[in-house]
Amino acid sequence: MQNVISGAECPECMAEIYVGDDALVSEIIECTDCRSDLEITSVRPPVLSTAPEVEEDWGE
Amino acid sequence: MDTSPPDLVVLASRVRYEEKRIMAALDRRGSRFTHLDSRSLSVTAATDRYAGRVVLNREVGHYRAWYAAEALEAAGARVVNTAAATHLSGDKWLTSAALLRHGLPTPRTALAMTPEAGLKALAEVGYPAVIKPLVGSWGRLVTRVTDEAMAGAVLEHVAALPSPQSHIVYVQELVPKADRDIRVAVVGGRALGATWRRGEDWRTNVARGAVSEPCHLGPELVRLAVAAAAAVGADIAGVDLIEDGDGRLTVLEVNDRVEFRGFESAHGDIDVAGAIADLLITKAEA
Ligand SMILES: [Zn+2]
């Protein structure tokens, strides 16, 4: 339990992701469920956002 | 024991809410499928490696989605949506032309071959207008212009963009609207439901923070949405419409790899993923 702060929600797939206490703001991690690149925008409390690497032709 | 490969393939480089929901719906129906990461896909020409397979195309990038569909179809797959539908609906001009060809209402639109010719196109369409990239979405690079001076400045930026395609300028009249448009989900020729999408921004993409609320699905909305999906040949579509100042409905665009998270959260009881799974199973059994 020492190396886990608490769960954050993946903004892409809503999976619960545990952010370790060595995490840094702006660190890029990969969601274990959907493999999206996520940016840690806050550590305490852990908050994740989608990493800004969208290509121009992306989207619906 | 059945050792044959599953007939159904879900093609996606990102498994987001929508893809997870579709795969869960396939699971619940006892359907065997594989998830194929489109980034790892290569298809050799003149093979029938994908013969008989039904492929759901959920690739998020337009060009990768279109070419993956073309290549898979060449190798015998039945791709949903078809490569032709992805090609048409992913390009705003081709969509506008298809809508007009099928007699559907759509805002006044013009295509200019250079940014310079864009000013003439805007004069004909009238101000206020919107300059949009031909390909691309989530509202990026969509610019509202209210007069010629502003349009000139925007077109100067367009002229400085690196890709030759971005110098082709798509302009459309700005339909006066109460900051919202309508999204209708169409699957297999059936309209499942409609949502209002209101944005803080005048662009009402959910990705830009728009909020979805249930919208009554009247007969005219059903007729136009189903016809717009058919006009681009899409089995699965998110059709965006808008009400003009006189309350008449007009079709803005057709999205062939539709996102429906906002839609499902607005309705709660409309299972878009389930409808997509049923459509795929029907096609695989056909
Ligand atoms: Zn995720």
Side-chain angles (χ1 to χ4, degrees):
Chain A
M1 290 302 289
Q2 282 302 315
N3 59 349
V4 167
I5 292 174
S6 60
E9 191 176 78
C10 171
E12 291 281 355
C13 76
M14 297 175 186
E16 201 181 3
I17 295 173
Y18 287 93
V19 176
D21 59 4
D22 56 349
L24 301 169
V25 170
S26 296
E27 190 180 350
I28 303 293
I29 61 166
E30 193 175 70
C31 171
T32 46
D33 271 25
C34 75
R35 290 190 286 146
S36 291
D37 292 326
L38 303 172
E39 184 175 349
I40 299 171
T41 51
S42 159
V43 175
R44 285 167 203 277
V47 178
L48 303 169
S49 69
T50 307
E53 47 144 324
V54 174
E55 291 180 50
E56 271 182 26
D57 72 336
W58 279 24
E60 58 176 11
Chain B
M1 196 180 122
D2 182 10
T3 54
S4 61
D7 293 331
L8 287 173
V9 176
V10 176
L11 181 75
S13 57
R14 303 219 148 196
V15 177
R16 300 164 294 168
Y17 169 85
E18 286 83 359
E19 288 74 31
K20 272 185 139 172
R21 290 266 303 137
I22 292 166
M23 290 195 254
L26 287 169
D27 269 334
R28 273 198 306 278
R29 285 157 176 77
S31 188
R32 294 175 65 223
F33 65 94
T34 47
H35 166 225
L36 176 59
D37 187 331
S38 18
R39 291 168 297 189
S40 69
L41 177 69
S42 71
V43 182
T44 307
T47 62
D48 59 357
R49 184 154 170 231
Y50 288 89
R53 300 291 195 89
V54 172
V55 179
L56 175 69
N57 192 353
R58 294 292 310 180
E59 164 56 37
V60 69
H62 169 66
Y63 288 106
R64 191 182 284 143
W66 175 28
Y67 282 106
E70 291 283 1
L72 289 167
E73 284 179 1
R78 285 171 290 161
V79 184
V80 185
N81 286 304
T82 63
T86 296
H87 180 208
L88 287 189
S89 58
D91 179 296
K92 293 196 177 61
W93 176 257
L94 297 180
T95 301
S96 298
L99 294 172
L100 290 171
R101 213 163 42 238
H102 287 78
L104 294 169
T106 193
R108 273 199 314 279
T109 303
L111 192 69
M113 297 308 126
T114 60
E116 297 74 50
L119 275 183
K120 198 169 70 180
L122 283 161
E124 277 174 28
V125 160
Y127 293 95
V130 187
I131 300 174
K132 300 181 181 180
L134 274 178
V135 169
S137 67
W138 290 332
R140 281 188 297 276
L141 303 173
V142 174
T143 312
R144 175 167 58 175
V145 290
T146 50
D147 57 51
E148 194 176 321
M150 191 177 172
V154 170
L155 291 169
E156 248 178 68
H157 283 284
V158 169
L161 293 173
S163 108
Q165 196 208 36
S166 54
H167 298 162
I168 310 286
V169 180
Y170 176 97
V171 304
Q172 190 165 65
E173 71 171 308
L174 185 72
V175 178
K177 60 165 172 171
D179 78 352
R180 61 182 190 174
D181 66 8
I182 303 168
R183 156 69 57 91
V184 182
V186 178
V187 177
R190 202 161 61 87
L192 302 180
T195 51
W196 288 113
R197 302 191 309 163
R198 306 161 194 272
E200 289 169 21
D201 200 338
W202 56 277
R203 293 165 288 204
T204 42
N205 296 59
V206 171
R208 298 192 72 95
V211 176
S212 297
E213 293 164 31
C215 170
H216 172 67
L217 185 64
E220 180 67 356
L221 204 48
V222 171
R223 184 185 75 81
L224 288 177
V226 170
V232 300
D235 281 323
I236 301 168
V239 180
D240 293 341
L241 303 99
I242 206 161
E243 256 178 11
D244 71 14
D246 303 318
R248 274 187 305 255
L249 288 163
T250 184
V251 182
L252 287 180
E253 55 184 83
V254 182
N255 302 286
D256 72 305
R257 283 151 289 135
V258 59
E259 290 166 23
F260 51 81
R261 183 167 167 177
F263 184 97
E264 287 195 338
S265 74
H267 281 288
D269 57 342
I270 299 180
D271 185 3
V272 180
I276 291 173
D278 288 337
L279 176 75
L280 295 175
I281 290 165
T282 304
K283 283 187 181 282
E285 287 169 351

